[in-house]
Amino acid sequence: MRKGMIAGSLLVLGGALGLFLLYLFDWVNSFVYIGGLFMWLLVLFVMLLVVRHHKRTALFVGAVVAVLTLLLLFDIRLLNYELATHAVTSYKEPIPATADSNVHLMIVNTTTTAYYGEDDGFIEEGENVLAVYPITNSQRYHQKNEDLRAFVEDKTDYFGQMRENVEAYLGFPPGDVVAAYNRTDIEGNSLGLGIALAASLHVRDVANEIPIAVTGAIHPDGSIHEIGVVTEKTLIAEQSGLPYLLVPTENAAEAREVVEERNLSIEIVPVAHIDEAFAFVEAVNGR
């Protein structure tokens, strides 16, 4: 019986792992996954009750119970993410970095919804929907872990990290020059290039007469790195009548593909360092 109980507890642990994999690959939802963990735990508690007088076997089954309990406590918050089935991106007007820089910061409105359809009513009237993406279980699991990490650690969010990188590159906080630097209602790090470029133009007293859309994450050394929702930002820049879009080199292929597929008129300008962005501004202004 002891060997049978040990084998049975290992079988339960394997079943829990299999259920986890089924969840990650979207075969079951979080209600089935968490409910299954509860059921496996009940089975283990019954097994533990049966072998309670056999010390070694009870210790082994108890260890499996502890592992499964920790997994349940770690993942039970997935239930909070189950109702979000789609991510919806829509138009948001670009933000002028400064009144006279002609640098426009690209932002995208992103919401989640439990359903998606023409009559669902979750999209506000007049909202320009750009794309709809189904949310996968692996994305839910990643988001749950990110939220949990942010809760237990003193973690700077992406926008806060962007501010630190911009300040490190410029050598000063540009909040007095670029108001968006002080915003608290924006997420992500993609405003970094635009804010640093506009602040640099101001400090160097360089006039830019050409409207330019800018997106990209900046590092303290001035290098520019890839960002997300590039397709949407390309469409927004086109709809806003901006003739140029500066993007990280890693994102240029995606942006150009959108231009070709949609027959857009906007020109994509890839940059790997902010110096390249500054050089483009000077060149496009005939300097």
Side-chain angles (χ1 to χ4, degrees):
M1 183 182 71
R2 298 178 185 179
K3 291 182 178 180
M5 288 297 178
I6 291 175
S9 61
L10 289 175
L11 183 63
V12 169
L13 190 60
L17 177 60
L19 195 58
F20 173 70
L21 293 175
L22 288 175
Y23 172 78
L24 282 186
F25 287 99
D26 296 306
W27 284 92
V28 300
N29 60 30
S30 63
F31 294 106
V32 174
Y33 170 50
I34 298 301
L37 291 183
F38 269 116
M39 291 298 296
W40 285 128
L41 268 176
L42 287 177
V43 171
L44 284 172
F45 276 121
V46 172
M47 294 173 62
L48 189 60
L49 184 64
V50 172
V51 300
R52 65 186 184 279
H53 298 303
H54 304 282
K55 186 175 180 181
R56 291 185 179 180
T57 306
L59 284 174
F60 186 87
V61 176
V64 177
V65 168
V67 170
L68 211 58
T69 300
L70 289 174
L71 180 62
L72 178 62
L73 292 175
F74 184 71
D75 284 348
I76 195 169
R77 295 182 72 248
L78 286 170
L79 298 174
N80 297 332
Y81 299 82
E82 187 61 40
L83 292 181
T85 63
H86 290 82
V88 182
T89 57
S90 57
Y91 178 89
K92 198 156 191 175
E93 186 175 358
I95 304 172
T98 65
D100 57 359
S101 68
N102 269 315
V103 172
H104 298 266
L105 310 177
M106 307 307 299
I107 55 177
V108 179
N109 186 45
T110 303
T111 57
T112 58
T113 179
Y115 305 97
Y116 179 74
E118 293 181 357
D119 301 323
D120 288 335
F122 70 90
I123 299 174
E124 296 181 5
E125 185 176 355
E127 189 170 7
N128 185 351
V129 174
L130 300 171
V132 179
Y133 304 97
I135 299 175
T136 66
N137 284 345
S138 60
Q139 290 171 328
R140 293 186 181 95
Y141 200 82
H142 175 76
Q143 187 60 52
K144 183 268 296 183
N145 290 343
E146 286 294 306
D147 292 345
L148 185 61
R149 186 179 298 113
F151 178 76
V152 299
E153 297 179 2
D154 183 16
K155 181 185 175 185
T156 303
D157 60 19
Y158 288 116
F159 193 81
Q161 185 63 59
M162 179 276 295
R163 294 179 62 181
E164 292 177 4
N165 289 348
V166 168
E167 184 173 345
Y169 169 75
L170 293 173
F172 65 92
D176 292 338
V177 179
V178 184
Y181 179 83
N182 300 318
R183 295 276 291 266
T184 59
D185 59 338
I186 300 176
E187 298 179 354
N189 58 4
S190 63
L191 298 191
L193 172 58
I195 291 175
L197 178 60
S200 295
L201 292 173
H202 176 82
V203 169
R204 302 184 193 186
D205 197 24
V206 175
N208 173 38
E209 305 297 333
I210 309 299
I212 300 172
V214 182
T215 186
I218 191 170
H219 282 204
D221 62 357
S223 59
I224 307 304
H225 297 267
E226 66 179 324
I227 41 83
V229 289
V230 174
T231 293
E232 288 85 343
K233 290 172 182 176
T234 304
L235 294 172
I236 290 174
E238 174 78 12
Q239 293 178 20
S240 301
L242 299 169
Y244 301 100
L245 173 61
L246 272 62
V247 300
T249 301
E250 298 97 325
N251 296 118
E254 179 184 347
R256 284 171 172 158
E257 183 178 353
V258 175
V259 170
E260 293 177 4
E261 290 180 352
R262 306 292 185 95
N263 195 27
L264 307 181
S265 61
I266 192 168
E267 181 178 337
I268 304 302
V269 182
V271 293
H273 193 277
I274 190 172
D275 289 346
E276 297 174 16
F278 194 82
F280 172 79
V281 172
E282 292 191 312
V284 81
N285 281 276
R287 302 188 187 95

